[in-house]
Amino acid sequence: MNAPPEPDDRAPTERQGFWKRFSKSLDAGRQAYVADLKEVFGRPALDDAFWDDLEATLIAADVGVPTTERVVADLRRQAAGAHLRSPADALRFLKADLATQMGDRSRDLNLEGAPAVVLVVGVNGSGKTTTIGKLAHLLGREGRRPLLAAADTYRAAAIEQLRLWGQRAQVDVIAHQPGSDPGAVAFDAVQAARARGMSPVIIDTAGRLHTRTDLMEELRKVRRVLQRLDPQSPQEVLAVLDAHVGQNSAQQVKVFQEAIGLTGLAVTKMDGSARAGVVLSIEAELSVPVKLVGIGEGLDDLNRFDPGQYLDALLRMEDAT
Ligand SMILES: Nc1nc2c(ncn2[C@@H]2O[C@H](COP(=O)(O)OP(=O)(O)OP(=O)(O)O)[C@@H](O)[C@H]2O)c(=O)[nH]1
Ligand SMILES: [Mg+2]
């Protein structure tokens, strides 16, 4: 089970396939607003109704009020200066504007370490365990040798769920008995990875409401254990967010950010979410970049976040077929 998988030279094509599926899967949840956006940009004139409807549509997609107001004001200035003549021009300008907003963040996963450690946190049911399984598969295909750590020790079922993902992704899982100390699991996993030359260690943690300070302290304890083994660790602390939660997730992220510090976000369940714009609103509000995006429960349903592809899908600039 530990043999390094062959690096996958089909990755770029597969990745293209991912974004096509991404674009298609957004349709399920956002039909109402897609029709609006297509219809709005398809109109002949930049009149008052166009501006009002564009604003309402972006807000409905959870792009967020501040970002929507800013981009619509930018667009109106361009139109007043005669740089934009039609809704089609406005669409192109809007994409460029949003791409600039998203462009100045590093979204690479930091996997430098022997082993690197990726600590995965979030509220209950956001998709942590599923994301870890898919991430292990993604990294395995790139020729890395991930090791999973079952530090959600609250429920036996949580450990079994991670084991199942380990089997699917063909990676090993380090686990203790239910009820054991999450820090001890993390410690053992790092030691095992060192001994076996594996990296990264991806640590699953129990879902916790961001309002539970005692549980936040438990996460800090796991982090302290990791830092004792390697001061650079954890190289990544990823918060997993369910896209359906929409803008409220910004509040969750803030609390995790303050409690243990985050290096990135994974936004899951973008398939069927009406709130595809949530990536824009979260990033506008917080300093944490979205690094991963999930569109389903299958092994291949996770990818690194790509702002250009995301904006094309969001704004329907390319046919998804
Ligand atoms: N459609 C869809 N479902 C997802 C996605 N990611 C996770 N799920 C589903 O969401 C549910 C919760 O996922 P988990 O991975 O168990 O979430 P978790 O954060 O580990 O949950 P706890 O450990 O209980 O806090 C499961 O039914 C997953 O199959 C996704 O990208 N798309
Ligand atoms: Mg879980």
Side-chain angles (χ1 to χ4, degrees):
M1 207 184 243
N2 280 336
E6 294 291 316
D8 189 342
D9 51 10
R10 291 172 310 154
T13 334
E14 297 272 322
R15 226 170 285 139
Q16 248 180 4
F18 177 90
W19 289 104
K20 275 186 185 166
R21 283 189 291 128
F22 181 90
S23 186
K24 274 189 181 161
S25 67
L26 294 188
D27 290 351
R30 61 164 195 180
Q31 253 136 29
Y33 115 77
V34 168
D36 285 350
L37 208 51
K38 271 185 130 170
E39 189 266 317
V40 170
F41 282 120
R43 290 181 193 174
L46 293 168
D47 52 16
D48 285 346
F50 169 82
W51 296 115
D52 289 349
D53 293 346
L54 176 61
E55 195 166 302
T57 308
L58 291 172
I59 288 170
D62 232 3
V63 167
V65 174
T67 300
T68 298
E69 285 180 347
R70 182 186 65 71
V71 295
V72 171
D74 282 357
L75 283 167
R76 292 188 85 131
R77 253 194 311 279
Q78 294 296 319
H83 299 296
L84 301 179
R85 296 210 170 77
S86 67
D89 286 350
L91 173 60
R92 279 189 291 276
F93 185 89
L94 175 62
K95 189 198 165 193
D97 192 329
L98 293 174
T100 305
Q101 174 183 319
M102 305 191 93
D104 57 351
R105 290 158 190 258
S106 166
R107 298 174 192 279
D108 293 337
L109 290 174
N110 173 9
L111 299 175
E112 297 293 317
V117 174
V118 179
L119 182 62
V120 178
V121 304
V123 301
N124 306 72
S126 57
K128 293 175 293 299
T129 308
T130 307
T131 299
I132 288 168
K134 294 186 285 186
L135 179 61
H137 176 67
L138 182 74
L139 297 177
R141 278 184 19 176
E142 293 174 359
R144 296 181 192 273
R145 299 178 63 206
L147 181 66
L148 306 185
D152 177 356
T153 58
Y154 282 98
R155 295 172 296 121
I159 300 172
E160 279 318 303
Q161 188 192 359
L162 192 72
R163 281 212 172 99
L164 201 65
W165 274 107
Q167 282 167 16
R168 282 189 200 140
Q170 300 189 318
V171 299
D172 286 351
V173 178
I174 300 295
H176 290 184
Q177 293 302 310
S180 58
D181 174 27
V185 179
F187 182 91
D188 276 2
V190 170
Q191 298 291 60
R194 273 186 187 163
R196 303 178 196 178
M198 299 169 87
S199 182
V201 173
I202 310 176
I203 303 177
D204 192 19
T205 62
R208 61 202 74 222
L209 274 181
H210 50 295
T211 45
R212 288 282 301 272
T213 45
D214 52 333
L215 294 177
M216 287 295 166
E217 179 50 33
E218 185 189 80
L219 280 183
R220 277 193 286 267
K221 205 179 135 196
V222 171
R223 192 186 56 180
R224 280 197 298 274
V225 167
L226 293 168
Q227 285 173 339
R228 249 178 272 135
L229 288 162
D230 169 8
Q232 307 298 319
S233 174
Q235 279 73 10
E236 291 283 351
V237 182
L238 300 179
V240 176
L241 298 178
D242 176 342
H244 292 86
V245 176
Q247 284 195 63
N248 292 338
S249 51
Q251 192 49 38
Q252 297 173 5
V253 176
K254 272 183 194 156
V255 179
F256 280 100
Q257 169 75 327
E258 281 158 20
I260 54 163
L262 298 172
T263 60
L265 303 175
V267 182
T268 60
K269 311 186 198 180
M270 292 290 273
D271 49 313
S273 170
R275 294 170 161 182
V278 69
V279 171
L280 283 159
S281 50
I282 294 173
E283 288 207 344
E285 220 173 306
L286 305 161
S287 56
V288 187
V290 174
K291 293 189 172 178
L292 298 167
V293 57
I295 57 164
E297 299 166 288
L299 267 181
D300 285 313
D301 290 340
L302 182 84
N303 207 349
R304 290 190 168 77
F305 183 68
D306 179 329
Q309 296 276 8
Y310 165 75
L311 290 172
D312 280 350
L314 183 74
L315 301 174
R316 304 284 293 174
M317 291 184 80
E318 278 175 7
D319 195 356
T321 54

PDB file of all heavy atoms in Angstrom, residues 163-192:
ATOM      1  N   ARG A 163     -10.625   5.565   7.687  1.00  0.00           N
ATOM      2  CA  ARG A 163     -10.004   4.322   7.191  1.00  0.00           C
ATOM      3  C   ARG A 163     -10.528   3.969   5.805  1.00  0.00           C
ATOM      4  O   ARG A 163      -9.777   3.554   4.929  1.00  0.00           O
ATOM      5  CB  ARG A 163     -10.305   3.164   8.153  1.00  0.00           C
ATOM      6  CG  ARG A 163      -9.434   3.161   9.389  1.00  0.00           C
ATOM      7  CD  ARG A 163      -9.190   1.721   9.854  1.00  0.00           C
ATOM      8  NE  ARG A 163      -8.203   1.685  10.916  1.00  0.00           N
ATOM      9  CZ  ARG A 163      -8.529   1.606  12.214  1.00  0.00           C
ATOM     10  NH1 ARG A 163      -9.789   1.534  12.587  1.00  0.00           N
ATOM     11  NH2 ARG A 163      -7.574   1.588  13.122  1.00  0.00           N
ATOM     12  N   LEU A 164     -11.821   4.158   5.635  1.00  0.00           N
ATOM     13  CA  LEU A 164     -12.445   3.858   4.342  1.00  0.00           C
ATOM     14  C   LEU A 164     -11.865   4.755   3.241  1.00  0.00           C
ATOM     15  O   LEU A 164     -11.540   4.299   2.147  1.00  0.00           O
ATOM     16  CB  LEU A 164     -13.949   4.076   4.464  1.00  0.00           C
ATOM     17  CG  LEU A 164     -14.815   3.377   3.432  1.00  0.00           C
ATOM     18  CD1 LEU A 164     -14.708   1.865   3.592  1.00  0.00           C
ATOM     19  CD2 LEU A 164     -16.280   3.807   3.622  1.00  0.00           C
ATOM     20  N   TRP A 165     -11.705   6.019   3.570  1.00  0.00           N
ATOM     21  CA  TRP A 165     -11.095   6.946   2.599  1.00  0.00           C
ATOM     22  C   TRP A 165      -9.639   6.566   2.329  1.00  0.00           C
ATOM     23  O   TRP A 165      -9.151   6.709   1.208  1.00  0.00           O
ATOM     24  CB  TRP A 165     -11.198   8.393   3.087  1.00  0.00           C
ATOM     25  CG  TRP A 165     -12.501   9.010   2.700  1.00  0.00           C
ATOM     26  CD1 TRP A 165     -13.552   9.291   3.511  1.00  0.00           C
ATOM     27  CD2 TRP A 165     -12.902   9.405   1.376  1.00  0.00           C
ATOM     28  NE1 TRP A 165     -14.587   9.835   2.777  1.00  0.00           N
ATOM     29  CE2 TRP A 165     -14.216   9.907   1.467  1.00  0.00           C
ATOM     30  CE3 TRP A 165     -12.292   9.367   0.128  1.00  0.00           C
ATOM     31  CZ2 TRP A 165     -14.917  10.383   0.363  1.00  0.00           C
ATOM     32  CZ3 TRP A 165     -12.991   9.843  -0.971  1.00  0.00           C
ATOM     33  CH2 TRP A 165     -14.277  10.339  -0.856  1.00  0.00           C
ATOM     34  N   GLY A 166      -8.965   6.092   3.371  1.00  0.00           N
ATOM     35  CA  GLY A 166      -7.592   5.627   3.190  1.00  0.00           C
ATOM     36  C   GLY A 166      -7.530   4.496   2.178  1.00  0.00           C
ATOM     37  O   GLY A 166      -6.667   4.466   1.294  1.00  0.00           O
ATOM     38  N   GLN A 167      -8.487   3.572   2.286  1.00  0.00           N
ATOM     39  CA  GLN A 167      -8.535   2.456   1.326  1.00  0.00           C
ATOM     40  C   GLN A 167      -8.807   2.970  -0.077  1.00  0.00           C
ATOM     41  O   GLN A 167      -8.162   2.568  -1.035  1.00  0.00           O
ATOM     42  CB  GLN A 167      -9.629   1.469   1.723  1.00  0.00           C
ATOM     43  CG  GLN A 167      -9.207   0.562   2.870  1.00  0.00           C
ATOM     44  CD  GLN A 167     -10.403  -0.191   3.450  1.00  0.00           C
ATOM     45  OE1 GLN A 167     -11.469  -0.267   2.838  1.00  0.00           O
ATOM     46  NE2 GLN A 167     -10.240  -0.728   4.642  1.00  0.00           N
ATOM     47  N   ARG A 168      -9.783   3.863  -0.192  1.00  0.00           N
ATOM     48  CA  ARG A 168     -10.123   4.386  -1.524  1.00  0.00           C
ATOM     49  C   ARG A 168      -8.937   5.097  -2.161  1.00  0.00           C
ATOM     50  O   ARG A 168      -8.670   4.943  -3.343  1.00  0.00           O
ATOM     51  CB  ARG A 168     -11.264   5.405  -1.420  1.00  0.00           C
ATOM     52  CG  ARG A 168     -12.592   4.775  -1.254  1.00  0.00           C
ATOM     53  CD  ARG A 168     -13.673   5.848  -1.389  1.00  0.00           C
ATOM     54  NE  ARG A 168     -14.878   5.338  -0.775  1.00  0.00           N
ATOM     55  CZ  ARG A 168     -15.713   6.058  -0.027  1.00  0.00           C
ATOM     56  NH1 ARG A 168     -15.504   7.331   0.171  1.00  0.00           N
ATOM     57  NH2 ARG A 168     -16.770   5.506   0.498  1.00  0.00           N
ATOM     58  N   ALA A 169      -8.264   5.913  -1.361  1.00  0.00           N
ATOM     59  CA  ALA A 169      -7.160   6.715  -1.902  1.00  0.00           C
ATOM     60  C   ALA A 169      -5.844   5.941  -1.878  1.00  0.00           C
ATOM     61  O   ALA A 169      -4.820   6.443  -2.333  1.00  0.00           O
ATOM     62  CB  ALA A 169      -7.025   8.012  -1.109  1.00  0.00           C
ATOM     63  N   GLN A 170      -5.888   4.731  -1.325  1.00  0.00           N
ATOM     64  CA  GLN A 170      -4.699   3.888  -1.207  1.00  0.00           C
ATOM     65  C   GLN A 170      -3.583   4.559  -0.434  1.00  0.00           C
ATOM     66  O   GLN A 170      -2.439   4.642  -0.895  1.00  0.00           O
ATOM     67  CB  GLN A 170      -4.214   3.457  -2.594  1.00  0.00           C
ATOM     68  CG  GLN A 170      -5.277   2.654  -3.334  1.00  0.00           C
ATOM     69  CD  GLN A 170      -4.741   2.033  -4.597  1.00  0.00           C
ATOM     70  OE1 GLN A 170      -3.993   2.666  -5.337  1.00  0.00           O
ATOM     71  NE2 GLN A 170      -5.098   0.801  -4.839  1.00  0.00           N
ATOM     72  N   VAL A 171      -3.952   5.079   0.725  1.00  0.00           N
ATOM     73  CA  VAL A 171      -2.950   5.636   1.638  1.00  0.00           C
ATOM     74  C   VAL A 171      -3.184   5.055   3.030  1.00  0.00           C
ATOM     75  O   VAL A 171      -4.309   4.686   3.370  1.00  0.00           O
ATOM     76  CB  VAL A 171      -2.990   7.182   1.702  1.00  0.00           C
ATOM     77  CG1 VAL A 171      -2.718   7.800   0.343  1.00  0.00           C
ATOM     78  CG2 VAL A 171      -4.307   7.679   2.244  1.00  0.00           C
ATOM     79  N   ASP A 172      -2.122   5.003   3.823  1.00  0.00           N
ATOM     80  CA  ASP A 172      -2.240   4.447   5.163  1.00  0.00           C
ATOM     81  C   ASP A 172      -2.870   5.445   6.127  1.00  0.00           C
ATOM     82  O   ASP A 172      -2.791   6.658   5.922  1.00  0.00           O
ATOM     83  CB  ASP A 172      -0.849   4.062   5.689  1.00  0.00           C
ATOM     84  CG  ASP A 172      -0.327   2.803   5.013  1.00  0.00           C
ATOM     85  OD1 ASP A 172      -1.124   2.164   4.287  1.00  0.00           O
ATOM     86  OD2 ASP A 172       0.853   2.469   5.208  1.00  0.00           O
ATOM     87  N   VAL A 173      -3.464   4.882   7.180  1.00  0.00           N
ATOM     88  CA  VAL A 173      -4.125   5.699   8.202  1.00  0.00           C
ATOM     89  C   VAL A 173      -3.568   5.310   9.561  1.00  0.00           C
ATOM     90  O   VAL A 173      -3.516   4.127   9.895  1.00  0.00           O
ATOM     91  CB  VAL A 173      -5.655   5.462   8.184  1.00  0.00           C
ATOM     92  CG1 VAL A 173      -6.340   6.272   9.287  1.00  0.00           C
ATOM     93  CG2 VAL A 173      -6.240   5.797   6.822  1.00  0.00           C
ATOM     94  N   ILE A 174      -3.141   6.304  10.334  1.00  0.00           N
ATOM     95  CA  ILE A 174      -2.719   6.054  11.717  1.00  0.00           C
ATOM     96  C   ILE A 174      -3.905   6.387  12.634  1.00  0.00           C
ATOM     97  O   ILE A 174      -4.443   7.492  12.564  1.00  0.00           O
ATOM     98  CB  ILE A 174      -1.509   6.942  12.096  1.00  0.00           C
ATOM     99  CG1 ILE A 174      -0.318   6.658  11.176  1.00  0.00           C
ATOM    100  CG2 ILE A 174      -1.136   6.751  13.571  1.00  0.00           C
ATOM    101  CD1 ILE A 174       0.272   5.268  11.272  1.00  0.00           C
ATOM    102  N   ALA A 175      -4.297   5.413  13.453  1.00  0.00           N
ATOM    103  CA  ALA A 175      -5.455   5.621  14.333  1.00  0.00           C
ATOM    104  C   ALA A 175      -5.208   4.995  15.694  1.00  0.00           C
ATOM    105  O   ALA A 175      -4.456   4.023  15.809  1.00  0.00           O
ATOM    106  CB  ALA A 175      -6.707   5.020  13.695  1.00  0.00           C
ATOM    107  N   HIS A 176      -5.833   5.592  16.713  1.00  0.00           N
ATOM    108  CA  HIS A 176      -5.855   5.007  18.051  1.00  0.00           C
ATOM    109  C   HIS A 176      -7.288   4.601  18.367  1.00  0.00           C
ATOM    110  O   HIS A 176      -8.174   4.730  17.528  1.00  0.00           O
ATOM    111  CB  HIS A 176      -5.367   6.022  19.092  1.00  0.00           C
ATOM    112  CG  HIS A 176      -3.899   6.316  18.999  1.00  0.00           C
ATOM    113  ND1 HIS A 176      -3.258   7.128  19.896  1.00  0.00           N
ATOM    114  CD2 HIS A 176      -2.950   5.933  18.116  1.00  0.00           C
ATOM    115  CE1 HIS A 176      -1.973   7.228  19.576  1.00  0.00           C
ATOM    116  NE2 HIS A 176      -1.767   6.510  18.492  1.00  0.00           N
ATOM    117  N   GLN A 177      -7.485   4.181  19.630  1.00  0.00           N
ATOM    118  CA  GLN A 177      -8.833   3.814  20.069  1.00  0.00           C
ATOM    119  C   GLN A 177      -9.731   5.065  20.125  1.00  0.00           C
ATOM    120  O   GLN A 177      -9.241   6.161  20.381  1.00  0.00           O
ATOM    121  CB  GLN A 177      -8.765   3.226  21.491  1.00  0.00           C
ATOM    122  CG  GLN A 177      -8.043   1.902  21.560  1.00  0.00           C
ATOM    123  CD  GLN A 177      -8.700   0.861  20.654  1.00  0.00           C
ATOM    124  OE1 GLN A 177      -9.897   0.674  20.706  1.00  0.00           O
ATOM    125  NE2 GLN A 177      -7.902   0.223  19.806  1.00  0.00           N
ATOM    126  N   PRO A 178     -11.038   4.867  19.934  1.00  0.00           N
ATOM    127  CA  PRO A 178     -11.973   5.981  20.151  1.00  0.00           C
ATOM    128  C   PRO A 178     -11.795   6.536  21.567  1.00  0.00           C
ATOM    129  O   PRO A 178     -11.553   5.775  22.506  1.00  0.00           O
ATOM    130  CB  PRO A 178     -13.349   5.323  20.004  1.00  0.00           C
ATOM    131  CG  PRO A 178     -13.115   4.107  19.170  1.00  0.00           C
ATOM    132  CD  PRO A 178     -11.723   3.647  19.476  1.00  0.00           C
ATOM    133  N   GLY A 179     -11.863   7.845  21.698  1.00  0.00           N
ATOM    134  CA  GLY A 179     -11.732   8.465  23.014  1.00  0.00           C
ATOM    135  C   GLY A 179     -10.303   8.815  23.392  1.00  0.00           C
ATOM    136  O   GLY A 179     -10.060   9.452  24.416  1.00  0.00           O
ATOM    137  N   SER A 180      -9.348   8.400  22.577  1.00  0.00           N
ATOM    138  CA  SER A 180      -7.952   8.689  22.928  1.00  0.00           C
ATOM    139  C   SER A 180      -7.593  10.145  22.610  1.00  0.00           C
ATOM    140  O   SER A 180      -8.372  10.875  22.004  1.00  0.00           O
ATOM    141  CB  SER A 180      -7.025   7.715  22.207  1.00  0.00           C
ATOM    142  OG  SER A 180      -7.221   7.810  20.822  1.00  0.00           O
ATOM    143  N   ASP A 181      -6.394  10.537  22.991  1.00  0.00           N
ATOM    144  CA  ASP A 181      -5.965  11.926  22.878  1.00  0.00           C
ATOM    145  C   ASP A 181      -5.593  12.278  21.425  1.00  0.00           C
ATOM    146  O   ASP A 181      -4.696  11.643  20.851  1.00  0.00           O
ATOM    147  CB  ASP A 181      -4.757  12.124  23.808  1.00  0.00           C
ATOM    148  CG  ASP A 181      -4.148  13.500  23.649  1.00  0.00           C
ATOM    149  OD1 ASP A 181      -4.881  14.426  23.256  1.00  0.00           O
ATOM    150  OD2 ASP A 181      -2.935  13.636  23.908  1.00  0.00           O
ATOM    151  N   PRO A 182      -6.252  13.272  20.839  1.00  0.00           N
ATOM    152  CA  PRO A 182      -5.957  13.647  19.447  1.00  0.00           C
ATOM    153  C   PRO A 182      -4.487  14.035  19.251  1.00  0.00           C
ATOM    154  O   PRO A 182      -3.897  13.745  18.195  1.00  0.00           O
ATOM    155  CB  PRO A 182      -6.861  14.851  19.190  1.00  0.00           C
ATOM    156  CG  PRO A 182      -7.945  14.760  20.201  1.00  0.00           C
ATOM    157  CD  PRO A 182      -7.352  14.078  21.397  1.00  0.00           C
ATOM    158  N   GLY A 183      -3.896  14.685  20.269  1.00  0.00           N
ATOM    159  CA  GLY A 183      -2.489  15.081  20.161  1.00  0.00           C
ATOM    160  C   GLY A 183      -1.583  13.864  20.037  1.00  0.00           C
ATOM    161  O   GLY A 183      -0.592  13.872  19.287  1.00  0.00           O
ATOM    162  N   ALA A 184      -1.924  12.803  20.748  1.00  0.00           N
ATOM    163  CA  ALA A 184      -1.106  11.580  20.694  1.00  0.00           C
ATOM    164  C   ALA A 184      -1.189  10.920  19.323  1.00  0.00           C
ATOM    165  O   ALA A 184      -0.200  10.385  18.811  1.00  0.00           O
ATOM    166  CB  ALA A 184      -1.563  10.607  21.782  1.00  0.00           C
ATOM    167  N   VAL A 185      -2.362  10.979  18.701  1.00  0.00           N
ATOM    168  CA  VAL A 185      -2.522  10.420  17.345  1.00  0.00           C
ATOM    169  C   VAL A 185      -1.650  11.218  16.370  1.00  0.00           C
ATOM    170  O   VAL A 185      -0.934  10.649  15.537  1.00  0.00           O
ATOM    171  CB  VAL A 185      -3.999  10.464  16.889  1.00  0.00           C
ATOM    172  CG1 VAL A 185      -4.135   9.915  15.473  1.00  0.00           C
ATOM    173  CG2 VAL A 185      -4.886   9.691  17.853  1.00  0.00           C
ATOM    174  N   ALA A 186      -1.714  12.552  16.508  1.00  0.00           N
ATOM    175  CA  ALA A 186      -0.925  13.413  15.623  1.00  0.00           C
ATOM    176  C   ALA A 186       0.564  13.115  15.798  1.00  0.00           C
ATOM    177  O   ALA A 186       1.313  12.992  14.812  1.00  0.00           O
ATOM    178  CB  ALA A 186      -1.224  14.882  15.927  1.00  0.00           C
ATOM    179  N   PHE A 187       0.982  12.976  17.043  1.00  0.00           N
ATOM    180  CA  PHE A 187       2.383  12.684  17.353  1.00  0.00           C
ATOM    181  C   PHE A 187       2.817  11.374  16.680  1.00  0.00           C
ATOM    182  O   PHE A 187       3.829  11.316  15.972  1.00  0.00           O
ATOM    183  CB  PHE A 187       2.550  12.574  18.876  1.00  0.00           C
ATOM    184  CG  PHE A 187       3.957  12.325  19.330  1.00  0.00           C
ATOM    185  CD1 PHE A 187       4.806  13.381  19.622  1.00  0.00           C
ATOM    186  CD2 PHE A 187       4.434  11.021  19.467  1.00  0.00           C
ATOM    187  CE1 PHE A 187       6.110  13.153  20.042  1.00  0.00           C
ATOM    188  CE2 PHE A 187       5.742  10.782  19.876  1.00  0.00           C
ATOM    189  CZ  PHE A 187       6.578  11.859  20.168  1.00  0.00           C
ATOM    190  N   ASP A 188       2.030  10.325  16.884  1.00  0.00           N
ATOM    191  CA  ASP A 188       2.364   9.023  16.301  1.00  0.00           C
ATOM    192  C   ASP A 188       2.403   9.066  14.779  1.00  0.00           C
ATOM    193  O   ASP A 188       3.245   8.431  14.147  1.00  0.00           O
ATOM    194  CB  ASP A 188       1.337   7.969  16.730  1.00  0.00           C
ATOM    195  CG  ASP A 188       1.674   7.391  18.093  1.00  0.00           C
ATOM    196  OD1 ASP A 188       2.675   7.849  18.690  1.00  0.00           O
ATOM    197  OD2 ASP A 188       0.938   6.485  18.552  1.00  0.00           O
ATOM    198  N   ALA A 189       1.480   9.806  14.202  1.00  0.00           N
ATOM    199  CA  ALA A 189       1.423   9.866  12.744  1.00  0.00           C
ATOM    200  C   ALA A 189       2.687  10.532  12.188  1.00  0.00           C
ATOM    201  O   ALA A 189       3.259  10.068  11.193  1.00  0.00           O
ATOM    202  CB  ALA A 189       0.177  10.612  12.290  1.00  0.00           C
ATOM    203  N   VAL A 190       3.126  11.609  12.844  1.00  0.00           N
ATOM    204  CA  VAL A 190       4.335  12.291  12.369  1.00  0.00           C
ATOM    205  C   VAL A 190       5.551  11.364  12.512  1.00  0.00           C
ATOM    206  O   VAL A 190       6.379  11.260  11.598  1.00  0.00           O
ATOM    207  CB  VAL A 190       4.557  13.623  13.122  1.00  0.00           C
ATOM    208  CG1 VAL A 190       5.923  14.212  12.800  1.00  0.00           C
ATOM    209  CG2 VAL A 190       3.448  14.609  12.758  1.00  0.00           C
ATOM    210  N   GLN A 191       5.635  10.663  13.645  1.00  0.00           N
ATOM    211  CA  GLN A 191       6.743   9.732  13.846  1.00  0.00           C
ATOM    212  C   GLN A 191       6.716   8.625  12.788  1.00  0.00           C
ATOM    213  O   GLN A 191       7.746   8.245  12.237  1.00  0.00           O
ATOM    214  CB  GLN A 191       6.684   9.098  15.252  1.00  0.00           C
ATOM    215  CG  GLN A 191       6.796  10.097  16.382  1.00  0.00           C
ATOM    216  CD  GLN A 191       8.182  10.721  16.483  1.00  0.00           C
ATOM    217  OE1 GLN A 191       8.643  11.364  15.549  1.00  0.00           O
ATOM    218  NE2 GLN A 191       8.851  10.536  17.601  1.00  0.00           N
ATOM    219  N   ALA A 192       5.529   8.106  12.516  1.00  0.00           N
ATOM    220  CA  ALA A 192       5.393   7.035  11.513  1.00  0.00           C
ATOM    221  C   ALA A 192       5.795   7.536  10.132  1.00  0.00           C
ATOM    222  O   ALA A 192       6.492   6.840   9.382  1.00  0.00           O
ATOM    223  CB  ALA A 192       3.957   6.514  11.496  1.00  0.00           C
TER     224      ALA A 192
END
